[in-house]
Amino acid sequence: MDEYFKQDDPQNSDQQNNMEPERTKESFRQNASFDEKILLNEGMFYHSSDDHDIKKATRVRIENMLYANTLQQTEAPVSTYIGRQGINQWILDNNVLTDIPTTFLKKYLYSKKARDAFYFYRDEYLLILELTQRLSGHLKTPAHKLMDEHLLDQEVWSYLSTSFATTKSKQRLINSLITYITGVTGYDTKEVLLFPPVKNLKKMVHPKLELYTKQLTKEGKSKNTINTYKNHINCMLSWLVNNMKDFTGYELHNIPILSIKEIHLQEFRSYLLMKQRKGDYRSITISECIYDVKNFFVFLKKSFGFPNPARKLKSIKAPRYHFRDLPTEEQLIEFFNVIDMYSESPLLESVAFQLMVTLGLRSMEVSHVSWNDINLETKTIMIQSKGGKYHILPLAGKLYRNLELFQRFPLTKKYLFGDDPVKIVSQLKENYKLYSHVAGWNFPGALHLFRHCFVTNLAGKNPPPQILKELSRVVKMDTVSLYTHLNQRTNWLSQQINKLDYSPQGGK
């Protein structure tokens, strides 16, 4: 059962938003019409001497908090538009020439230049990079010293066909490489074209868990997030089968869910605490497992009316903060410059990513934005957040100007960025990988990185806690701290202080 906890260092920011899944989120409207008050130029009240008093939350002040000055340049950077396929040429010029050894592999990648940029990046360049690293370890030769002669060795292809080609995409790559090299050299590699079947790692899934994962997919959860949920819930089901006599003889996919009682889950919780005390699992892993189990039964309650045996299951406190490096303002500007240069729809995608950076929208929230949510006359946008609550946020700066430009084009889609929210999120994720690679980013994580940027930037403006909470659209102030990474700013200040000269001569 320990297999379900193999990912012991969760990077699951989707789960970090709240430890109480049954509570509803508080909107601006529930907080004394907070949204209406910050959108008025005169502010909530007229007279106050404290600059940090929430009563002085004017619209101008809110806009200054939300919209970074360096991202609001009125003039677009001077650049030559290249288009999406130009990314392939960029990868060939900046990565392939330096990272990929052997003439065969370089020429093969050049022959694939016409593929769509994302698939060229993911299925050609990255896979060949992985192949060279695997082959380097097998031959005990530095990767940069691999030569064409190595790729003419029958044993090398036999090794790669069994040890590297473990997925269909890798098998396709091996076949393509062999066909290419055979065409160039006449080398016979027929024996290694027959791959062993790829192991089907898909296990029987409980029907209710399968329905739950479909719901998570509709909500825009990432594959990693969904896999973590599935692992934790399967861990619970596996433990019941192996330790509770009420479930003896059942398999994970046919456990009667209605037979799971509170006493069973309390015993499971005790087991997890025991594993934590022994040092087998970290506290954050145990905490998230219980969180996922509770959410699963909340889903069953809402969808089928099942009794919720996890209603009184106590969560386990654990430090949830995970520091991450964030892009600087200059790096963010470079990211948007890459969009301007390589995107097929630069205005459209700039707006999508600006919504994440400047207003902290989650990717699924971005995918659901329509023109009905935007009022250019009042310069506001209405967002439906998690829990179905609505929030009204101000529009300003470059984001507002881009929306004005965008409005001139005829509306052809249901939403601002397409018809299918799931496809919109998928496209944004794929393009984020391309643009961040060209921009020279190596930050872990995906689109949710921008929400961390948003909250950190907002916290750096030192707003009143109430404003920080409302603009971040979270239930608890504790959640804000999970997204705040001010160490970069602190480190910079420390470096400046260390440069000061306190010697008598320096003080003159």
Side-chain angles (χ1 to χ4, degrees):
M1 185 177 53
D2 290 355
E3 62 185 287
Y4 298 112
F5 283 118
K6 59 186 177 182
Q7 294 180 349
D8 203 45
D9 186 16
Q11 300 285 332
N12 190 351
S13 23
D14 286 321
Q15 297 182 24
Q16 294 179 343
N17 195 50
N18 187 12
M19 289 293 291
E20 302 293 339
E22 296 177 359
R23 291 186 180 181
T24 58
K25 291 181 183 270
E26 177 188 22
S27 71
F28 285 179
R29 298 169 189 250
Q30 292 171 302
N31 187 16
S33 300
F34 183 87
D35 55 340
E36 298 176 7
K37 291 173 181 176
I38 68 168
L39 297 179
L40 296 175
N41 286 324
E42 65 268 20
M44 298 175 70
F45 293 90
Y46 300 115
H47 304 289
S48 178
S49 59
D50 186 358
D51 287 340
H52 297 284
D53 193 334
I54 191 174
K55 297 176 182 179
K56 294 189 66 176
T58 64
R59 174 169 183 142
V60 172
R61 186 179 175 198
I62 295 297
E63 289 181 0
N64 287 335
M65 291 177 187
L66 290 175
Y67 296 91
N69 293 332
T70 53
L71 289 177
Q72 310 308 317
Q73 65 266 30
T74 56
E75 296 294 333
V78 178
S79 61
T80 303
Y81 177 73
I82 298 175
R84 183 178 180 82
Q85 287 307 114
I87 294 178
N88 292 0
Q89 187 63 53
W90 188 96
I91 292 174
L92 290 171
D93 294 341
N94 293 274
N95 297 137
V96 172
L97 288 177
T98 57
D99 300 341
I100 304 299
T102 90
T103 302
F104 283 157
L105 295 180
K106 284 185 172 71
K107 288 186 175 180
Y108 169 81
L109 284 171
Y110 273 90
S111 72
K112 298 296 181 178
K113 180 181 175 181
R115 289 202 72 182
D116 175 75
F118 177 73
Y119 296 104
F120 176 78
Y121 170 69
R122 185 191 67 178
D123 296 341
E124 305 291 356
Y125 166 67
L126 288 183
L127 284 186
I128 284 187
L129 190 63
E130 183 182 346
L131 179 148
T132 59
Q133 293 168 346
R134 181 69 64 87
L135 190 56
S136 170
H138 174 65
L139 298 176
K140 296 180 173 56
T141 301
H144 68 276
K145 290 188 176 181
L146 292 175
M147 297 181 293
D148 288 341
E149 287 75 8
H150 292 125
L151 300 179
L152 297 176
D153 189 336
Q154 182 78 29
E155 188 276 332
V156 163
W157 291 108
S158 296
Y159 166 76
L160 290 175
S161 67
T162 55
S163 300
F164 172 76
T166 54
T167 66
K168 289 183 179 180
S169 59
K170 290 180 178 179
Q171 289 182 355
R172 180 205 57 77
L173 175 66
I174 293 294
N175 279 328
S176 295
L177 282 171
I178 290 175
T179 300
Y180 176 79
I181 293 175
T182 300
V184 173
T185 65
Y187 176 63
D188 185 9
T189 56
K190 292 181 180 179
E191 293 184 16
V192 296
L193 288 173
L194 298 176
F195 291 101
V198 177
K199 293 182 180 179
N200 185 7
L201 300 178
K202 186 177 181 181
K203 300 178 181 179
M204 294 290 288
V205 179
H206 196 285
K208 293 296 186 287
L209 179 55
E210 190 169 5
L211 290 174
Y212 184 44
T213 57
K214 289 181 179 178
Q215 177 61 31
L216 294 174
T217 301
K218 289 182 180 178
E219 294 174 3
K221 297 292 191 294
S222 68
K223 290 183 180 179
N224 288 337
T225 297
I226 293 174
N227 287 335
T228 301
Y229 270 94
K230 289 175 64 175
N231 284 338
H232 288 166
I233 294 166
N234 276 329
C235 173
M236 179 267 296
L237 297 176
S238 176
W239 186 87
L240 292 177
V241 168
N242 294 321
N243 295 276
M244 294 279 103
K245 63 179 182 180
D246 295 339
F247 302 97
T248 301
Y250 288 102
E251 296 183 10
L252 266 63
H253 65 276
N254 61 14
I255 286 181
I257 296 295
L258 285 172
S259 298
I260 301 177
K261 307 299 181 185
E262 180 182 343
I263 184 64
H264 299 135
L265 297 182
Q266 295 293 357
E267 290 292 329
F268 176 62
R269 183 180 186 275
S270 298
Y271 158 77
L272 293 177
L273 288 173
M274 179 269 293
K275 298 290 283 185
Q276 178 190 358
R277 287 192 296 270
K278 291 175 63 177
D280 294 336
Y281 302 141
R282 296 171 58 216
S283 58
I284 184 64
T285 305
I286 305 302
S287 174
E288 295 201 347
C289 178
I290 292 178
Y291 171 85
D292 294 345
V293 168
K294 286 169 70 72
N295 269 351
F296 176 59
F297 285 104
V298 168
F299 164 77
L300 295 178
K301 172 71 174 178
K302 291 180 178 179
S303 301
F304 307 102
F306 287 5
N308 184 358
R311 186 170 60 88
K312 296 183 179 180
L313 192 66
K314 291 184 178 180
S315 300
I316 295 175
K317 292 184 178 181
R320 305 179 68 80
Y321 177 78
H322 174 74
F323 174 76
R324 55 173 81 199
D325 288 322
L326 299 177
T328 63
E329 291 181 349
E330 290 75 15
Q331 289 173 313
L332 284 170
I333 292 174
E334 178 60 25
F335 179 87
F336 283 96
N337 287 345
V338 171
I339 294 177
D340 291 337
M341 185 174 294
Y342 292 104
S343 172
E344 290 299 307
S345 304
L347 181 61
L348 182 76
E349 290 200 295
S350 290
V351 169
F353 287 109
Q354 284 168 352
L355 286 171
M356 299 182 205
V357 175
T358 59
L359 294 180
L361 268 63
R362 303 169 180 91
S363 58
M364 187 51 68
E365 294 168 350
V366 170
S367 70
H368 280 87
V369 171
S370 71
W371 278 118
N372 293 331
D373 303 318
I374 298 171
N375 189 328
L376 293 180
E377 291 184 4
T378 60
K379 297 185 177 182
T380 58
I381 181 172
M382 183 169 61
I383 303 300
Q384 184 178 8
S385 298
K386 287 184 176 180
K389 299 301 179 182
Y390 288 90
H391 305 263
I392 299 178
L393 298 173
L395 294 171
K398 192 173 183 180
L399 175 57
Y400 175 75
R401 294 193 296 274
N402 283 346
L403 284 170
E404 279 189 311
L405 293 173
F406 191 25
Q407 192 186 37
R408 300 174 186 176
F409 297 94
L411 178 63
T412 59
K413 305 293 184 181
K414 179 179 180 181
Y415 301 102
L416 209 60
F417 307 106
D419 292 316
D420 185 350
V422 174
K423 290 183 179 179
I424 294 171
V425 172
S426 177
Q427 189 70 40
L428 288 173
K429 287 179 178 178
E430 291 179 0
N431 289 347
Y432 168 78
K433 291 181 180 179
L434 289 175
Y435 303 148
S436 60
H437 178 74
V438 175
W441 289 15
N442 57 1
F443 304 103
L447 294 177
H448 211 67
L449 175 76
F450 290 123
R451 184 159 169 79
H452 287 261
C453 292
F454 162 76
V455 179
T456 299
N457 176 66
L458 189 59
K461 303 294 178 60
N462 198 25
Q466 300 97 319
I467 293 179
L468 183 57
K469 174 177 175 292
E470 293 298 337
L471 294 179
S472 300
R473 295 173 292 115
V474 296
V475 176
K476 296 181 178 180
M477 271 302 297
D478 291 348
T479 306
V480 175
S481 64
L482 302 175
Y483 290 92
T484 307
H485 311 279
L486 295 174
N487 292 40
Q488 287 176 310
R489 184 168 178 265
T490 302
N491 290 340
W492 181 85
L493 291 173
S494 298
Q495 293 171 5
Q496 301 308 307
I497 292 174
N498 290 336
K499 292 178 181 179
L500 296 177
D501 188 355
Y502 292 102
S503 65
Q505 292 181 344
K508 290 183 180 179

